[in-house]
């Protein structure tokens, strides 16, 4: 005995308006991404978001980033030099101890310029320029391979800077260390 196969047949969706397409009789499932496609999309997004900015800043001509007025730069440098010999203190914002970003923040504050607290944020506060274009009073920054800025100092010119280097050390003038130097920031 043969059974009817009517339950296996589907009704065709016909538009009631000849200019419109019919809607499906059942909701369609959203497309599922494979794990590899999701990982590739995430990696692409992270690469775009976390790309270090120095490469972009280097493409901008130096004439577009005027240096700080010399009176402001000298106020910043004088403030930093007045703290030579003060001990390094992790998280120190002065006046009795400084870490690198605390010294930069405090020195610029003496000239009326407000900067964020940490080195990474300070390096994002101005226009990033190559070290070769640095002028007296610019902020120098050091970064790791991923572009995270972990150290800052104030450029004095002539390959010299002032900074608060590390635990056990003190605020001092020294030669610019080229190892992992990311560049300079002009405010």
């Amino acid at each position: 005995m043969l059974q009817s196969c009517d339950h296996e047949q589907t009704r065709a969706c016909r538009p009631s308006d000849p200019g419109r397409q019919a809607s499906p009789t059942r909701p369609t499932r959203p497309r599922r991404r494979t794990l590899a496609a999701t990982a590739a999309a995430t990696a692409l997004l992270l690469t775009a978001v976390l790309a270090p900015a120095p490469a972009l800043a280097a493409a901008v001509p130096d004439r577009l980033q005027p240096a700080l007025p010399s009176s402001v730069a000298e106020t910043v440098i004088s403030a930093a030099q007045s703290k030579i010999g003060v001990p390094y203190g992790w998280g120190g914002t002065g006046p009795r101890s400084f870490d690198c970003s605390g010294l930069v923040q405090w020195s610029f504050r003496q000239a009326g310029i407000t900067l964020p607290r940490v080195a990474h944020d300070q390096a994002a506060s101005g226009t990033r320029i190559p070290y070769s274009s640095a002028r007296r009073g610019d902020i120098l920054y050091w970064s790791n391979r991923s572009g995270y800025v972990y150290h800052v100092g104030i450029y004095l010119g002539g390959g010299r800077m002032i900074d608060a280097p590390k635990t056990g050390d003190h605020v001092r003038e020294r030669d610019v260390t080229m190892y992992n130097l990311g560049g300079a920031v002009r405010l």
Side-chain angles (χ1 to χ4, degrees):
M1 173 168 143
L2 294 173
Q3 291 183 343
S4 170
C5 295
D6 288 349
H7 67 280
E8 294 175 3
Q9 294 177 359
T10 57
R11 291 176 51 186
C13 296
R14 297 180 189 240
S16 56
D17 178 19
R20 293 182 50 202
Q21 186 159 354
S23 59
T25 56
R26 285 186 274 176
T28 59
R29 286 187 191 172
R31 277 180 96 183
R32 293 184 186 207
R33 285 186 167 176
T34 64
L35 182 58
T38 302
T42 302
L44 184 61
L45 177 63
L46 286 175
T47 301
V49 171
L50 298 177
L56 297 175
V60 180
D62 186 37
R63 61 185 157 75
L64 297 178
Q65 296 93 16
L68 286 173
S70 62
S71 61
V72 174
E74 293 308 315
T75 301
V76 169
I77 291 169
S78 293
Q81 287 174 329
S82 74
K83 296 303 175 183
I84 289 178
V86 171
Y88 177 95
W90 186 82
T93 57
R96 289 179 172 63
S97 72
F98 291 99
D99 65 8
C100 65
S101 57
L103 176 67
V104 170
Q105 182 187 46
W106 183 87
S107 300
F108 276 86
R109 188 180 317 127
Q110 305 317 301
I113 298 172
T114 303
L115 288 176
R117 172 63 188 97
V118 297
H120 187 76
D121 294 339
Q122 289 175 356
S125 293
T127 302
R128 289 187 179 185
I129 58 173
Y131 170 69
S132 60
S133 297
R135 302 280 185 266
R136 194 166 163 84
D138 287 341
I139 299 171
L140 300 181
Y141 68 93
W142 285 258
S143 58
N144 61 21
R145 289 183 184 177
S146 68
Y148 185 79
V149 174
Y150 61 85
H151 186 69
V152 288
I154 300 169
Y155 189 57
L156 300 174
R160 304 278 297 162
M161 68 176 183
I162 187 166
D163 69 337
K166 61 186 181 213
T167 301
D169 212 333
H170 57 276
V171 174
R172 62 187 171 115
E173 288 185 23
R174 61 187 181 132
D175 290 333
V176 174
T177 308
M178 300 306 282
Y179 181 74
N180 284 346
L181 177 65
V185 175
R186 184 156 298 155
L187 302 179

